Amino acid sequence: MTTISLVAGNCGRGRGYEDGRFEFRSNLYLGKDFLASDLFNNNPFRRKANGCLSKALKGFGNGNGRRFRVIARVKKGKKHDYPWPDNIDLDIKDGHLTYLSHFKPLAEKPKPVTLPFEKPLVDLEKKIIEVCRMADETGLDFTDQIGALENKYQQALKDLYTHLTPIQRLAIARHPNRPTALDHILNITEKWVELHGDRAGYDDPAMVTGIGTMDGKSYMFIGQQKGRNTKENIFRNFAMPTPHGYRKALRMMKYADHHGLPIVTFVDTPGAYADLKSEELGQGEAIANNLRTMFGLKVPIVTVVIGEGGSGGALAIACPNKLFMLENSVLYVASPEACAAILWKSSQAAPKAAEKLRITAQEHYKRKIADGIIPEPLGGAHADPVWTSQQIRLAITQAMDELTKMDMEELLHHRMLKFRSIGGFQEGKPVEPERKRNMKPSDASRLNAADIESDLEKLKKNILEAKVPSDPITDQAIEKLKQDVDNEVTRAFISMGLQEKLESLKLELSRASDNQTLNRNLKVKVDKLMQEFKQNLSRPGAHLGLKQKLEKLSMVSRLIEQKEKGEKLKAEINQKIPSEIKEKLEQLETAQANLSKGDPLDEDLVAEAVKAKKELIEVLKSANLEIVGVAKRKAAAELQEKIVNVKKEIDGEIERVIDVAGLHGKIEELKAEMVIDSSSPKVEKLQAEIKEEIRAALDDTALKQKVENLRREFATSSEEVIDEKVIDDKVIAENGRW
């Protein structure tokens, strides 16, 4: 290769620059008419002693007789540039053609990289180094101590690498010092030549292809190549191929198919490169074309996952007859970090996602996706790359020996059956009915109905049984409920698109806080906003969590209000009751306690009790209170227990009838229809049919008798049916009536 440098100088007499050069202010164009005919003709040029050629330019000058002269210096380049060397050995017997590959030995040994879970091993290594240093400095014999530490290190290494979690195996698969595809290829082949280009104007360095020999047999090798340092990773695009790389691999597959060369592919990529340019150039089409073509290749294909295999970028060269995975390699449809960001909204959940995705070689082998697991040394493949490569070679040769015995039809059928057998199906199990799903963002803090009812009953019990007006535990639970409702309301305003209106109203309210009365316009805005909020909230299926919590808070508020009213009214009544009546009531309670122990009943005390009861009624009437019933707490509790037992017996009898009549199918059908539309005619028809069949099969004579006995017992215990809210042992309140 030669280069020519041109210098224009002032060759005439007169004043010029001191260095003899002339400055041009306008662009000077020297076309091929000037140089093409005269460049290699010595006559018009004057050859100088310094190797420069010069020629005066005709037609360029000025009135003073000045002319321009071009001086050309010819520099000799190398005889041969990349990829050809000066001397090519045509009789090469082994090794690889280094001048056809960018892959060269590293000038420096890679720095050791410690993974986070390997820190205990590093501590042991430091102790061993420290003891060895002490032995060298002091001259003492620490052989036993060093041997014990080394044994401890080996045992810790074995324990650690035999119980790795999926996220730890992923970290090993991404280790910076892990052997790459070309490392393994150079370790397992006797002869190797790298082939380049997709024959469409581009050679993707992230995808390496070439022909190599093992045991005298030629194979087509295709692999995704990671870098061994930052510079190489940038050059190799971090093993993320572009469409050119997949088309290059496709060209080599067709070449191997045409010449009958078995294909070996090495998968090690986070995924196909997903930039805008790659999408414009047809990334998806290139991958899909590879998938389709690989299933029709008439030569054996073996794939080895040596690192990480990401989604379609890995599958584009991984549709083989046999798929092997290194012990610490992974294969996934989406990286655990991406999966965690989608499902759990945080990449911190990557360990959980890695476990759920089943990405390890062991999981793929269990599910018959991988045909075998190639062992790695303790510490990972980077601990002994040559040994790992030999294990790969052994697996490839054994698989090829099996596959080469098949004819073309058997080979294609074998490849098809491998992928058809992946996955599974079940028969004889009912399919879940189609559901209507609300695609809005789910309420993160939504509770199910059972939890709501349980919390409500617990709060209700605490409020009613509290002996003091304010119970710290109950107050804390109510305060937490209010905070939850506030958070839910805020999220609801945001999801409804009313957040900006709410903020502007808050700002206006803060400005109007000094005024005693709000502006009428401001009140109208508040009412309009609340009306819009309630309208959105009332839509079926919208903000169910908020609705449940609002109902719960409303119920708690009513209970607290009734409790406070009852306590206030009870205090007022106690003030109006004379002390003589209180003493008689206390005596009556004592007599009731003695009666329960078996003591005889005092007739005089009974008469006094009846008299005290009449006086108490008169006192209550004087306080404008209406007496609706008198009951004892213990009797009410016993009656409630009997009601619960009868209800359980009725439910059990109904379940028995359903089993006998075989109504489970209709009930499931009714549930499915109610999910779709609870008010449809089909739902009403199914409900009527189920009720009719239950009535026909149910023997309800005994149950009716038990219910009737309960009604009589309840009627005798109280003059009228009253609510369950018991405020006092003697008097029951409901909505201000006593």
Side-chain angles (χ1 to χ4, degrees):
M1 182 174 68
T2 59
T3 59
I4 301 177
S5 59
L6 301 179
V7 178
N10 184 359
C11 303
R13 295 181 181 181
R15 294 182 61 185
Y17 291 99
E18 293 180 358
D19 58 357
R21 298 180 184 272
F22 190 88
E23 181 180 358
F24 293 96
R25 293 294 181 182
S26 60
N27 295 329
L28 178 63
Y29 174 72
L30 303 178
K32 72 173 185 176
D33 293 337
F34 166 68
L35 288 178
S37 60
D38 296 334
L39 184 58
F40 298 106
N41 187 355
N42 291 331
N43 292 331
F45 284 89
R46 292 183 182 178
R47 183 178 297 275
K48 297 187 177 181
N50 59 1
C52 296
L53 300 177
S54 64
K55 177 183 178 182
L57 302 183
K58 298 179 180 179
F60 289 90
N62 54 22
N64 298 328
R66 295 180 179 177
R67 290 186 301 168
F68 300 109
R69 183 176 297 276
V70 174
I71 302 174
R73 182 187 296 273
V74 180
K75 296 182 179 179
K76 286 189 176 181
K78 293 181 180 179
K79 184 176 180 182
H80 300 290
D81 286 335
Y82 174 86
W84 307 109
D86 291 335
N87 298 315
I88 300 177
D89 185 5
L90 301 179
D91 299 324
I92 184 171
K93 301 298 182 183
D94 56 7
H96 65 283
L97 305 181
T98 56
Y99 47 84
L100 289 178
S101 175
H102 295 284
F103 193 76
K104 311 295 181 185
L106 290 175
E108 298 179 359
K109 188 178 179 181
K111 294 181 180 179
V113 177
T114 303
L115 299 175
F117 66 89
E118 293 179 324
K119 288 182 179 179
L121 299 176
V122 176
D123 296 337
L124 285 174
E125 284 182 352
K126 289 180 179 178
K127 289 181 181 179
I128 294 173
I129 294 171
E130 182 66 22
V131 174
C132 292
R133 186 184 61 79
M134 289 175 60
D136 293 338
E137 291 178 354
T138 61
L140 299 176
D141 187 9
F142 289 99
T143 306
D144 295 340
Q145 290 82 350
I146 294 173
L149 285 173
E150 288 179 345
N151 291 335
K152 187 177 180 181
Y153 176 84
Q154 291 298 327
Q155 185 62 38
L157 181 67
K158 184 178 179 181
D159 293 341
L160 179 62
Y161 274 84
T162 51
H163 301 90
L164 290 171
T165 63
I167 197 68
Q168 290 173 345
R169 292 193 186 275
L170 177 64
I172 298 173
R174 294 173 174 173
H175 198 286
N177 297 339
R178 192 170 178 85
T180 63
L182 283 175
D183 287 317
H184 290 304
I185 290 173
L186 296 179
N187 286 335
I188 67 178
T189 57
E190 294 96 19
K191 296 170 66 175
W192 159 254
V193 55
E194 185 175 346
L195 303 177
H196 298 270
D198 63 349
R199 293 300 182 265
Y202 195 84
D203 179 39
D204 188 358
M207 186 77 72
V208 294
T209 59
I211 300 175
T213 60
M214 292 189 301
D215 299 330
K217 298 179 181 178
S218 296
Y219 298 88
M220 175 63 73
F221 290 92
I222 301 170
Q224 289 140 343
Q225 177 67 19
K226 283 187 176 180
R228 296 167 292 180
N229 50 44
T230 305
K231 185 178 179 181
E232 282 193 10
N233 268 320
I234 294 172
F235 174 69
R236 301 285 182 181
N237 199 27
F238 296 87
M240 294 186 290
T242 62
H244 303 290
Y246 292 114
R247 291 177 182 129
K248 169 183 175 181
L250 180 64
R251 182 176 79 86
M252 298 305 170
M253 291 178 194
K254 292 180 177 179
Y255 180 89
D257 187 48
H258 178 74
H259 292 282
L261 299 176
I263 299 172
V264 179
T265 66
F266 291 99
V267 174
D268 188 14
T269 177
Y273 195 44
D275 68 329
L276 178 61
K277 189 67 175 177
S278 296
E279 296 298 335
E280 290 175 349
L281 293 173
Q283 184 73 282
E285 182 272 339
I287 293 173
N289 203 3
N290 280 27
L291 295 175
R292 181 183 63 183
T293 303
M294 287 191 76
F295 281 102
L297 297 178
K298 306 177 189 65
V299 293
I301 307 174
V302 173
T303 295
V304 182
V305 183
I306 60 175
E308 57 177 333
S311 190
L315 283 177
I317 59 169
C319 296
N321 296 93
K322 294 281 187 179
L323 173 67
F324 298 100
M325 296 181 69
L326 286 182
E327 184 180 352
N328 294 316
S329 62
V330 293
L331 191 61
Y332 48 73
V333 68
S335 68
E337 293 83 2
C339 177
I342 294 170
L343 297 182
W344 292 281
K345 310 303 180 187
S346 172
S347 60
Q348 300 298 322
K352 182 179 179 181
E355 185 176 353
K356 298 294 184 184
L357 285 171
R358 306 287 193 268
I359 63 176
T360 62
Q362 292 74 17
E363 293 288 349
H364 285 86
Y365 181 70
K366 188 188 302 182
R367 287 160 176 77
K368 299 182 180 180
I369 297 172
D371 297 288
I373 300 175
I374 301 174
E376 295 184 28
L378 291 176
H382 54 280
D384 193 348
V386 176
W387 186 87
T388 306
S389 298
Q390 295 309 313
Q391 298 301 314
I392 293 174
R393 173 175 177 152
L394 181 62
I396 291 173
T397 52
Q398 289 178 351
M400 286 298 181
D401 289 342
E402 177 186 348
L403 295 173
T404 50
K405 295 177 182 177
M406 302 180 184
D407 59 23
M408 184 187 70
E409 294 298 330
E410 290 177 342
L411 200 64
L412 293 174
H413 189 64
H414 177 274
R415 194 177 306 147
M416 184 269 293
L417 287 180
K418 171 180 171 52
F419 285 88
R420 288 298 298 269
S421 64
I422 295 175
F425 59 90
Q426 293 178 335
E427 291 182 344
K429 290 192 176 183
V431 180
E432 186 178 3
E434 183 181 357
R435 294 182 179 179
K436 282 187 176 181
R437 288 179 171 84
N438 185 10
M439 300 307 292
K440 294 179 181 178
S442 61
D443 299 322
S445 58
R446 181 182 299 176
L447 297 173
N448 57 40
D451 293 338
I452 292 284
E453 291 295 330
S454 175
D455 293 346
L456 185 57
E457 288 298 325
K458 192 181 297 183
L459 266 177
K460 178 179 175 181
K461 184 178 179 182
N462 291 339
I463 292 171
L464 294 178
E465 294 182 356
K467 300 298 183 182
V468 292
S470 179
D471 180 30
I473 298 177
T474 306
D475 293 344
Q476 185 178 0
I478 294 172
E479 187 63 29
K480 183 178 181 301
L481 178 60
K482 289 180 179 179
Q483 291 178 359
D484 291 344
V485 171
D486 288 342
N487 295 334
E488 290 284 344
V489 169
T490 302
R491 284 195 287 267
F493 267 97
I494 294 173
S495 64
M496 294 176 188
L498 304 176
Q499 182 68 10
E500 293 183 2
K501 294 182 180 180
L502 181 63
E503 293 297 332
S504 63
L505 273 178
K506 285 182 179 179
L507 183 61
E508 292 184 26
L509 285 171
S510 63
R511 291 173 180 172
S513 59
D514 298 335
N515 301 331
Q516 294 296 328
T517 58
L518 291 176
N519 189 2
R520 173 176 288 183
N521 293 333
L522 192 57
K523 286 184 179 180
V524 171
K525 289 181 181 179
V526 173
D527 293 340
K528 186 177 180 181
L529 179 63
M530 290 307 300
Q531 183 179 0
E532 188 176 356
F533 174 76
K534 290 178 181 178
Q535 184 178 357
N536 292 331
L537 189 64
S538 62
R539 292 176 181 173
H543 307 284
L544 297 179
L546 176 58
K547 291 178 182 177
Q548 292 170 344
K549 290 180 180 178
L550 284 173
E551 291 176 3
K552 181 179 175 182
L553 184 61
S554 176
M555 176 65 73
V556 170
S557 300
R558 288 198 302 270
L559 286 174
I560 293 174
E561 185 180 357
Q562 290 179 2
K563 176 76 173 180
E564 291 174 351
K565 286 182 179 180
E567 292 292 336
K568 183 179 179 181
L569 193 56
K570 183 178 177 181
E572 292 177 359
I573 292 172
N574 287 334
Q575 289 178 358
K576 293 182 179 182
I577 296 176
S579 58
E580 296 83 4
I581 297 178
K582 290 182 180 179
E583 291 177 0
K584 291 179 181 179
L585 291 174
E586 290 176 358
Q587 292 175 3
L588 180 60
E589 288 181 356
T590 305
Q592 287 177 343
N594 295 333
L595 184 63
S596 63
K597 295 178 182 178
D599 295 343
L601 183 64
D602 189 355
E603 296 295 337
D604 297 335
L605 187 61
V606 171
E608 290 181 2
V610 172
K611 184 179 178 181
K613 178 181 177 182
K614 291 180 180 180
E615 292 176 358
L616 179 61
I617 291 174
E618 293 298 329
V619 171
L620 294 175
K621 286 182 178 180
S622 65
N624 295 325
L625 295 174
E626 181 185 355
I627 309 301
V628 296
V630 179
K632 295 180 181 179
R633 187 174 299 216
K634 183 178 179 181
E638 291 176 354
L639 189 60
Q640 182 69 25
E641 185 178 355
K642 289 181 180 180
I643 292 172
V644 172
N645 292 336
V646 172
K647 185 178 182 301
K648 287 182 179 178
E649 191 173 346
I650 293 172
D651 292 340
E653 186 66 20
I654 292 174
E655 286 292 332
R656 186 189 65 80
V657 170
I658 290 173
D659 291 335
V660 172
L663 298 176
H664 287 288
K666 281 191 176 182
I667 292 174
E668 292 298 326
E669 184 182 357
L670 176 62
K671 290 180 181 179
E673 290 294 331
M674 290 185 71
V675 169
I676 298 172
D677 186 4
S678 59
S679 60
S680 66
K682 189 175 182 180
V683 170
E684 296 177 359
K685 183 180 178 182
L686 284 172
Q687 286 177 342
E689 290 178 358
I690 292 171
K691 288 179 181 178
E692 187 64 30
E693 292 186 23
I694 290 176
R695 287 195 191 100
L698 183 65
D699 184 10
D700 57 351
T701 306
L703 295 177
K704 284 182 178 179
Q705 185 64 38
K706 289 182 180 180
V707 172
E708 187 63 29
N709 293 338
L710 275 177
R711 284 177 180 172
R712 291 174 183 172
E713 188 175 349
F714 187 78
T716 56
S717 65
S718 179
E719 295 179 4
E720 292 184 15
V721 177
I722 56 177
D723 195 75
E724 298 176 5
K725 280 73 176 178
V726 180
I727 301 301
D728 187 63
D729 284 342
K730 308 297 185 297
V731 185
I732 297 178
E734 171 63 23
N735 297 330
R737 304 176 69 217
W738 288 74

